[in-house]
Amino acid sequence: MPTYEEARSIILESVAPLGAERVETGRALGRTLAEDVVAPWPLPLCDNSAMDGYAVRADDCRGPARLRITGYLPAGGTASVGVGPGCAVKIMTGAPIPPGCDAVIPFEETSVADDHVVVKAQVTVRQHIRFRAEDVREGDLVLPEGTPLRPPEISMLASLGKAFVPVYRTVRVAVLSTGDELIELGEPPSPGMIVNSNSVAVAAAVRETGAESLLLGIARDDPESHAEKISEGLKADALVTTAGVSAGDRDLVREVLAQSGVVSRFWRVGIKPGGPTAFGTKDGVPVFSLPGNPVSALITFEVFVRPALLRMMGRKRVLRPPVKATLAGEVRKKPGKVHFLRVGIEVRGGEYIASSAGDQNTGILRTMVLADAIAVLPADKTVFAAGERVDVLLLGETLR
Ligand code: AMP
Ligand code: MG
């Protein structure tokens, strides 16, 4: 039985980016660059003003200065005419610096009388000028392949005139629930029946990674129903199944996956919850068999499926950023397995404080709802004192 880390390594070594496509830069948010981006021109493209004010020759402003205003340069204007000694040009932020000028004096540091400007403050050479190429030089490798595209990267691409951008393909993930006890969302449950929440929950988790979800519905607890749905699922880029993967006599998922040509890479992992998780591949298509319990399904998705999908979409760094939190109370566990503890997070004095989000029984979905994070408790340790710092996986972009 692999450890948590071994299982994750097996998964991450089994998946690779799917290929690239070109998309409009305005629609590339969240995607990952599939090629290096080199600057076709410098930024800024020319020396320009960083302030609204007057473009001057700093030499003219060594002492008290009174300069003749000989022109006006709005943003978007052309600096065709130079500025002679004793002269100034009124200039707006972003306008090109006219020839001869080497400083800009902000309006606030001047007064104007007739067609002259009186300089009230000290002027240093190069002040308030943004110089050509001070940000990016022509030919610079600005964004390497593998960069996740956030608003700043979108801004950089657009500034460099890239209307289209090569990104890795998104992953189409088939989602299959299994079990005779399941009814579809919308039907009223009778005792003994359970609403198929996993399909929509896993699909939501899929979309949260930026991948596309494809709902296959429910496979009933017979081999034919499983085989039919699984063969459909294997046409996607990845397949995620829930339930039917334990050791029950109607747990058919592994058997039918094997008959469908999926090569098993592991079954059972040293984690709790999520122990019965299985993973395999067929012709490069990863197949994640998650436990049926809704809490276990979401936690195993978080720790195994999410990193894999991100890697398939070109990400280099696929794990949640490492974060430590201080335990508010003592936690005890049995040795041998990594435990995932659902915790709420509070911020006190700039520190994360983690408290159990409730009953940690895997049947308690409510505790998952109340969790901001999952604390990862190492396999060998059994007692975690109040005040001890533990690794946590922060689940959302904000705390609840
Ligand atoms: P199994 O792994 O098939 O033994 O299922 C474990 C538990 O998860 C059982 O209580 C199931 O009823 C429940 N379960 C399985 N599939 C789903 C699903 N799609 N939605 C919600 N609960 C499920
Ligand atoms: Mg079942």
Side-chain angles (χ1 to χ4, degrees):
M1 181 166 79
T3 64
Y4 169 43
E5 291 80 8
E6 285 164 353
R8 200 171 58 197
S9 297
I10 292 171
I11 290 169
L12 290 177
E13 282 159 17
S14 305
V15 297
L18 294 175
E21 63 183 355
R22 278 164 67 80
V23 300
E24 277 179 64
T25 298
R27 296 183 175 275
L29 182 68
R31 305 291 289 274
T32 305
L33 262 189
E35 288 172 22
D36 291 347
V37 171
V38 169
W41 58 61
L43 292 178
L45 202 52
C46 68
D47 298 352
N48 68 86
S49 179
M51 298 289 279
D52 295 330
Y54 293 92
V56 301
R57 295 161 171 267
D59 251 0
D60 289 343
C61 309
R62 293 260 163 98
R66 187 168 174 279
L67 308 169
R68 194 159 61 85
I69 303 168
T70 56
Y72 171 59
L73 265 174
T78 318
S80 41
V81 185
V83 177
C87 297
V89 161
K90 190 174 174 183
I91 193 165
M92 298 297 125
T93 305
I97 301 293
C101 294
D102 57 5
V104 169
I105 308 171
F107 283 146
E108 304 86 277
E109 298 173 9
T110 65
S111 59
V112 174
D114 304 324
D115 56 351
H116 283 75
V117 57
V118 176
V119 180
K120 298 190 293 185
Q122 261 208 307
V123 177
T124 50
V125 181
R126 298 168 69 92
Q127 72 174 29
H128 304 305
I129 296 177
R130 307 157 172 163
F131 288 93
R132 175 183 160 88
E134 71 176 11
D135 183 356
V136 172
R137 285 163 305 171
E138 182 178 338
D140 274 356
L141 169 58
V142 269
L143 301 172
E145 176 270 330
T147 302
L149 300 180
R150 308 166 307 162
E153 287 77 22
I154 303 281
S155 181
M156 179 62 79
L157 289 162
S159 301
L160 295 171
K162 307 281 183 191
F164 290 86
V165 55
V167 293
Y168 286 107
R169 268 185 51 205
T170 49
V171 179
R172 289 166 57 253
V173 184
V175 178
L176 175 62
S177 289
T178 67
D180 277 346
E181 76 277 35
L182 301 179
I183 56 167
E184 283 298 9
L185 181 56
E187 292 173 41
S190 47
M193 301 303 276
I194 287 173
V195 177
N196 172 15
S197 62
N198 282 349
S199 281
V200 285
V202 169
V206 164
R207 289 196 305 277
E208 214 172 37
T209 70
E212 275 173 50
S213 60
L214 226 133
L215 293 183
L216 299 180
I218 301 168
R220 296 305 175 184
D221 286 336
D222 63 78
E224 294 72 32
S225 177
H226 272 56
E228 184 196 322
K229 296 286 189 185
I230 283 168
S231 87
E232 205 180 321
L234 289 171
K235 293 177 195 156
D237 299 316
L239 170 60
V240 180
T241 69
T242 63
V245 77
S246 305
D249 53 6
R250 301 183 83 184
D251 287 341
L252 301 168
V253 168
R254 292 180 61 248
E255 186 185 320
V256 179
L257 283 174
Q259 287 160 6
S260 309
V262 175
V263 179
S264 172
R265 300 297 310 278
F266 66 75
W267 176 47
R268 292 185 162 153
V269 188
I271 58 173
K272 189 179 162 57
T277 301
F279 175 73
T281 57
K282 184 186 182 187
D283 305 329
V285 175
V287 180
F288 304 87
S289 309
L290 310 183
N293 185 296
V295 169
S296 310
L298 284 175
I299 290 179
T300 49
F301 185 97
E302 165 64 29
V303 299
F304 293 136
V305 186
R306 180 180 182 276
L309 298 183
L310 291 175
R311 175 140 299 169
M312 293 172 79
M313 292 185 289
R315 290 292 169 91
K316 309 261 188 250
R317 303 171 82 177
V318 296
L319 304 181
R320 299 273 189 196
V323 172
K324 293 263 185 205
T326 304
L327 285 174
E330 187 193 75
V331 176
R332 286 171 180 271
K333 69 183 246 320
K334 287 184 189 154
K337 290 181 175 180
V338 166
H339 280 218
F340 298 118
L341 192 74
R342 286 157 277 163
V343 293
I345 297 283
E346 267 187 80
V347 183
R348 264 185 246 145
E351 291 243 357
Y352 287 138
I353 310 295
S355 321
S356 170
D359 186 340
Q360 295 292 326
N361 190 306
T362 48
I364 309 298
L365 180 58
R366 187 68 186 262
T367 306
M368 191 78 215
V369 169
L370 295 175
D372 289 302
I374 293 170
V376 182
L377 306 179
D380 45 0
K381 237 176 110 110
T382 56
V383 183
F384 300 81
E388 209 169 304
R389 277 152 64 82
V390 295
D391 293 326
V392 295
L393 307 170
L394 286 181
L395 297 175
E397 287 173 12
T398 61
L399 300 178
R400 291 180 65 254

